[in-house]
Amino acid sequence: VQAVLCFRDMSPELLGRISEFGINEHGKITLVTMDRGLQVVMGKWVEPKNIDYLRWMFTELDSRDDKPSVVDLSFEGQIIVRSD
């Protein structure tokens, strides 16, 4: 619930691009994107910098043909991208 409320308050324009929110086995908030079914790991809390990273990620992915399977934004100063 915290993640949805944070998105509603900090970036309501992104909510339409997210199909589901969850929590993984490590207690990190995850989401799945609407258009590509991409899993994104946000971290234990939704922070403004992670939302900024997510905005950047959507912009970057919109301009690319390849499709990663997981993007992990939960590590300080790193964006980890894994492809199938």
Side-chain angles (χ1 to χ4, degrees):
V1 173
Q2 179 262 353
V4 175
L5 294 176
C6 283
F7 270 85
R8 184 195 69 195
D9 294 342
M10 291 191 273
S11 59
E13 77 281 1
L14 292 180
L15 279 175
R17 297 193 73 172
I18 300 168
S19 67
E20 64 184 74
F21 288 89
I23 297 177
N24 70 12
E25 65 275 4
H26 303 291
K28 294 181 180 182
I29 296 166
T30 62
L31 56 90
V32 176
T33 64
M34 224 26 160
D35 55 345
R36 294 181 178 235
L38 172 66
Q39 180 183 4
V40 180
V41 180
M42 297 295 291
K44 297 218 180 229
W45 304 100
V46 176
E47 299 179 39
K49 67 177 172 143
N50 287 4
I51 290 178
D52 290 340
Y53 291 154
L54 187 63
R55 274 192 194 102
W56 174 85
M57 182 203 75
F58 278 131
T59 301
E60 181 69 20
L61 290 177
D62 287 346
S63 67
R64 297 173 63 165
D65 292 330
D66 59 333
K67 176 184 169 194
S69 56
V70 177
V71 174
D72 193 333
L73 306 175
S74 66
F75 296 98
E76 185 68 34
Q78 293 181 352
I79 298 174
I80 297 170
V81 178
R82 290 191 299 251
S83 297
D84 290 335

